[in-house]
Amino acid sequence: MVSDETYYKAGAILLPGVSVLPHNAIPLHIYEERYREMLKDAIASDSKFIIGSLPELDGELESVPLKVAVVVEVVANEQLPDGRSMLVVSARERAEIVSWDRSSNYPRAVYHKMQREGTEGAETIISLLKDKFMDVLTGCSEKEKAMIVEHLDSKESLEAVIDTVAQYSTAEHKRRFFLEEASDSKRASKLLLLLEGEETLGRS
């Protein structure tokens, strides 16, 4: 795992069974008081926080088995009259968790930005991934397929293509590998194997 040498801090939402890879966006419902406070602080700063996927938290933060999470940015925020917020967040980059800051009422992560390990022959791999991915979109409606293809076509780097295809085509429990693995070559190989063994999106 490769990361830069700079430390960053950000509020963190720790959610069981929710996994998002960079270069993708997801809706998010903020209702807990501590996370409302976190969102307020994030918007007052750079609108960024961390989403980590893990089992239900039981015990001290230091015992959380979380190595890599995702830095997300709020791109849409509808605040409801009762204080809850309906968000759309865009996943920006991977964060390697170093420690936890206890200075707030909500979890705050101290992290490095995780760097990618590139690979040769990226253009060929991108083309192969897109072709294989199109083969498993047979279970989608034409509207959904068009939306997915438009999203995928906007991605140019191998990292972004892998993240996008994995987000759409793999189940939650399989995404951890694509989040934590630093080598795009290994991620691409794993994703191609999964795509070749699936007839539909396989997201259940």
Side-chain angles (χ1 to χ4, degrees):
M1 195 176 297
V2 181
S3 60
D4 68 15
E5 296 301 321
T6 306
Y7 289 97
Y8 302 86
K9 288 184 181 181
I13 295 182
L14 309 177
L15 300 172
V18 175
S19 181
V20 59
L21 296 170
H23 309 99
N24 294 278
I26 61 168
L28 200 60
H29 177 200
I30 301 295
Y31 58 90
E32 288 188 42
E33 192 62 39
R34 59 177 176 164
Y35 289 145
R36 294 184 193 183
E37 181 180 344
M38 183 212 68
L39 177 61
K40 180 180 178 181
D41 290 347
I43 290 177
S45 178
D46 56 6
S47 294
K48 293 181 180 179
F49 58 90
I50 281 175
I51 292 180
S53 176
L54 72 165
E56 292 286 355
L57 182 60
D58 183 18
E60 298 297 321
L61 275 175
E62 284 75 7
S63 67
V64 171
L66 182 62
K67 296 179 180 179
V68 181
V70 176
V71 179
V72 302
E73 182 176 3
V74 177
V75 294
N77 178 16
E78 179 185 1
Q79 187 165 1
L80 304 179
D82 62 3
R84 293 178 296 126
S85 293
M86 307 300 291
L87 309 179
V88 176
V89 297
S90 179
R92 299 303 191 192
E93 59 194 355
R94 289 161 173 79
E96 182 182 356
I97 306 300
V98 177
S99 62
W100 296 99
D101 179 350
R102 294 176 171 276
S103 62
S104 302
N105 293 325
Y106 53 83
R108 281 176 60 84
V110 180
Y111 69 94
H112 291 302
K113 293 180 180 179
M114 182 177 168
Q115 305 299 307
R116 310 303 308 148
E117 295 179 8
T119 187
E120 297 181 359
E123 292 185 4
T124 300
I125 298 173
I126 287 173
S127 179
L128 185 57
L129 278 171
K130 287 184 176 181
D131 288 344
K132 293 293 184 181
F133 183 51
M134 296 307 295
D135 291 341
V136 302
L137 288 180
T138 54
C140 298
S141 67
E142 288 302 315
K143 182 178 181 180
E144 184 179 12
K145 184 176 180 179
M147 178 194 71
I148 294 173
V149 169
E150 181 180 5
H151 185 199
L152 184 59
D153 284 346
S154 69
K155 310 303 178 185
E156 297 182 355
S157 70
L158 178 57
E159 175 193 354
V161 170
I162 293 171
D163 285 336
T164 302
V165 173
Q167 184 73 33
Y168 279 114
S169 63
T170 61
E172 294 279 354
H173 67 279
K174 294 181 180 179
R175 290 185 199 146
R176 175 58 55 185
F177 171 84
F178 296 102
L179 180 64
E180 295 185 351
E181 175 56 55
S183 167
D184 283 338
S185 177
K186 291 179 181 178
R187 296 198 314 143
S189 295
K190 177 75 168 181
L191 188 52
L192 284 169
L193 288 174
L194 288 172
L195 291 173
E196 289 170 353
E198 307 230 7
E199 296 180 357
T200 62
L201 282 179
R203 297 168 67 181
S204 59

